Amino acid sequence: MTSDDVQAALGDTVDALLVLDEPLLSPRYHGILARRATAGMQQDLARLRGLVLQANRVARAGARKWARASAHVVVHDFLDWGERTLLDSFLSLAETEMRVLASAARAAPTREIRADFDQTVLLHREAARTLRDALAPLDPGRALAPPPRMPVRPVQEEAVPGDLRGQIEAAMRGSLAAGRPIRQVALSPTALRHLRDQGCFQDGETTLLQVPVVVDFGWDVSAFALQTRDCVPLEEIVQERRERAG
């Protein structure tokens, strides 16, 4: 990868990050926040736009410095992971929008208005499906020709003390072997602590087998859950059933 290629790729990645910032810079979004916020939060919300703009400037400066640096050998791995993660975030935004639109359809005062929102949900469902299909081949460890789907245990408690890492990695590899790429891994706080003791998440690493990790602080046991690419909003299933029913 040449210096020009690196600069272009890093620039594209940073620009894509700025797309995620757009809601935080939108007056419409701030209007919703202002209506929902308590009186004590108004001052913090007023600082939000400035914080985001400052972060954008610093990120762009960092990308320019990186592109001019001589050590480009690690860039490819970062760009591969970063681009996949950004694309997945756009899928999450599309799914969230679909949920709100489906709720608007249910709350619509007339059949005509509901039909408009139902049609919008249908279009967003197709967009989300297109994004999922585009993302699936990019998942790390995905087999080019996966075998017929096999049973997968995506939710498990720690089975053998001291081997949670092996248990999770085995579950992840089993999911991939069954043709079910993983979108993210959810951990309990106890599982996070045990994985750290077993050598995970060193030097700022935040993934498992290159898959993003979230921690649910509401769990009180050592457990994990795999969210696969087969995970879709209930609104999609409801809409599809309605279409089949005519």
Side-chain angles (χ1 to χ4, degrees):
M1 183 178 286
T2 67
S3 178
D4 289 342
D5 291 336
V6 170
Q7 187 167 5
L10 286 171
D12 288 345
T13 301
V14 172
D15 286 343
L17 280 170
L18 302 189
V19 173
L20 296 178
D21 283 335
E22 285 182 5
L24 297 176
L25 299 174
S26 168
R28 294 182 178 88
Y29 189 73
H30 281 271
I32 296 173
L33 284 173
R35 289 195 297 273
R36 291 283 188 173
T38 60
M41 283 295 298
Q42 296 298 332
Q43 186 174 357
D44 288 336
L45 291 177
R47 298 176 57 242
L48 188 60
R49 179 180 175 85
L51 291 172
V52 173
L53 289 174
Q54 183 180 0
N56 288 349
R57 288 192 294 271
V58 176
R60 285 184 180 277
R64 289 193 296 269
K65 293 174 184 175
W66 193 349
R68 292 194 298 268
S70 58
H72 296 325
V73 64
V74 298
V75 172
H76 182 270
D77 289 342
F78 160 71
L79 289 175
D80 179 62
W81 184 89
E83 289 175 354
R84 281 189 285 106
T85 302
L86 281 171
L87 290 170
D88 191 73
S89 70
F90 297 144
L91 172 58
S92 297
L93 288 173
E95 290 173 341
T96 298
E97 188 171 5
M98 184 167 33
R99 290 188 181 104
V100 176
L101 289 168
S103 180
R106 293 193 302 273
T110 68
R111 184 174 299 177
E112 181 182 8
I113 296 173
R114 175 166 186 163
D116 287 339
F117 281 103
D118 280 339
Q119 178 66 16
T120 307
V121 172
L122 178 64
L123 295 170
H124 276 80
R125 193 185 78 189
E126 186 63 29
R129 182 179 299 163
T130 300
L131 285 171
R132 287 193 202 98
D133 290 344
L135 283 165
L138 306 180
D139 286 295
R142 180 179 175 87
L144 295 178
R149 299 203 167 189
M150 301 176 291
V152 175
R153 291 184 60 211
V155 181
Q156 300 181 36
E157 292 189 22
E158 184 171 4
V160 180
D163 191 35
L164 181 60
R165 179 176 185 173
Q167 182 181 347
I168 294 178
E169 290 182 353
M172 295 175 72
R173 291 191 174 97
S175 182
L176 289 170
R180 292 175 173 165
I182 303 163
R183 188 171 176 180
Q184 70 177 16
V185 179
L187 301 175
S188 69
T190 305
L192 173 63
R193 185 172 66 252
H194 290 181
L195 287 172
R196 282 174 170 164
D197 292 341
Q198 295 167 36
C200 295
F201 312 122
Q202 302 298 310
D203 300 322
E205 178 58 63
T206 58
T207 66
L208 286 172
L209 300 182
Q210 299 185 49
V211 175
V213 173
V214 297
V215 179
D216 190 332
F217 285 92
W219 295 1
D220 57 2
V221 295
S222 182
F224 67 92
L226 310 180
Q227 184 187 78
T228 71
R229 289 286 174 195
D230 293 327
C231 180
V232 300
L234 179 58
E235 286 80 5
E236 290 196 36
I237 299 171
V238 170
Q239 181 81 7
E240 188 172 357
R241 288 180 176 175
R242 288 179 57 193
E243 290 174 10
R244 290 177 179 175

